[in-house]
Amino acid sequence: MTRLLFREDAYLREADAAVLGHTAEGGILVDATIFYATGGGQPGDSGWLLWEGRRLPIATTLKHGAEVALVPAEPLEMPPVGGTVRQVLDWDRRHRHMRMHTALHLLSVVIPLPVTGGQIGAERGRLDFDMPEPPEDLAALDEALNALIDRDLPVTESWITDEELLANPGLVKTMSVMPPTGQGRVRLVRIGEGAGQIDQQPCGGTHVARTSEIGRVEIAKIEKKGRQNRRVSVALLG
């Protein structure tokens, strides 16, 4: 099983790993990784592997059973099984994903409707809502979203058991994808604390430490996607 270093510290930019093997598709299996593996609407991380004077660009990262596979961007020499590599994260891209992911959690607070889907990007992200009618005042939504960001709320995590999640179905906002269970526990991401807590939901992705780190955003577009489904896109402005 691959140790998920990004879950222990989302700000870790470099780390060593042992190469466990190669997949049939050309991925590199490692025993520990700072690279987030594609899932939950968040893209897999990219970056580089360094070993013995060699440098291999990584295009994306995927789950491979209980392990994580780093997918090379080019058909170059692979690090040997049993060897050690230095992982270097494309931090600018990852950090934008972290900012956007937290912004989308805040969007689900500003628009308190069931979420039917979502996707995170480095420039834009979106949530799909079960929303029969579009919002009347887009500027008010923009203002509310940025006001939450400006409150500089802490973003923290805790863990609950599978049974506790099943007993509290209101924690799950996303209708289309259920949080992963079967490992005995589920990670909760919380925004705010104590009486100032504004959101708490299951999530396996990476987030910024405080909402002010997101920076200014704008609601870029609202599109109708089906009879009751509307897609709300958010853009990072810096």
Side-chain angles (χ1 to χ4, degrees):
M1 179 180 291
T2 301
R3 181 181 171 190
L4 306 181
L5 299 176
F6 61 81
R7 190 158 289 163
E8 300 171 19
D9 181 2
Y11 289 83
L12 192 60
R13 305 187 193 192
E14 296 190 18
D16 290 334
V19 177
L20 300 177
H22 301 149
T23 70
E25 297 77 20
I28 301 159
L29 301 174
V30 289
D31 71 334
T33 186
I34 59 174
F35 292 83
Y36 179 81
T38 303
Q42 182 171 333
D45 282 328
S46 55
W48 301 268
L49 292 184
L50 309 177
W51 79 100
E52 298 179 355
R54 295 168 175 81
R55 183 176 187 269
L56 180 65
I58 298 299
T60 190
T61 306
L62 302 173
K63 296 173 184 175
H64 187 82
E67 297 171 335
V68 169
L70 312 181
V71 182
E74 303 174 39
L76 300 175
E77 180 181 352
M78 303 271 275
V81 175
T84 298
V85 292
R86 185 70 174 174
Q87 302 170 84
V88 180
L89 185 65
D90 182 344
W91 171 248
D92 289 343
R93 178 173 178 265
R94 153 69 87 72
H95 190 237
R96 294 183 74 84
H97 289 163
M98 291 166 60
R99 292 166 58 199
M100 178 57 72
H101 201 155
T102 308
L104 292 181
H105 277 224
L106 293 179
L107 181 64
S108 74
V109 175
V110 171
I111 303 177
L113 295 173
V115 175
T116 58
Q119 186 64 46
I120 295 158
E123 305 298 330
R124 287 194 181 198
R126 53 93 173 167
L127 289 180
D128 296 345
F129 292 93
D130 185 3
M131 182 192 300
E133 299 297 329
E136 295 183 358
D137 192 341
L138 191 60
L141 288 179
D142 251 352
E143 184 177 346
L145 183 55
N146 282 288
L148 290 180
I149 291 170
D150 290 342
R151 285 174 61 182
D152 191 32
L153 297 167
V155 183
T156 57
E157 67 174 58
S158 60
W159 294 82
I160 61 173
T161 65
D162 291 353
E163 291 73 21
E164 287 173 317
L165 178 64
L166 292 173
N168 294 274
L171 290 172
V172 181
K173 293 187 176 184
T174 303
M175 298 168 62
S176 59
V177 180
M178 287 296 293
T181 56
Q183 302 299 315
R185 62 178 192 159
V186 176
R187 176 177 178 251
L188 295 180
V189 171
R190 180 186 302 109
I191 301 179
E193 55 189 359
Q197 180 178 307
I198 62 169
D199 188 55
Q200 179 175 257
Q201 56 181 293
C203 182
T206 57
H207 291 269
V208 293
R210 304 190 70 89
T211 59
S212 61
E213 197 174 330
I214 297 169
R216 190 76 181 176
V217 302
E218 71 171 0
I219 296 178
K221 187 188 299 185
I222 298 181
E223 305 170 86
K224 187 172 182 179
K225 296 288 183 179
R227 186 170 60 87
Q228 290 197 175
N229 201 55
R230 294 183 191 274
R231 177 166 296 172
V232 181
S233 298
V234 174
L236 298 175
L237 295 184

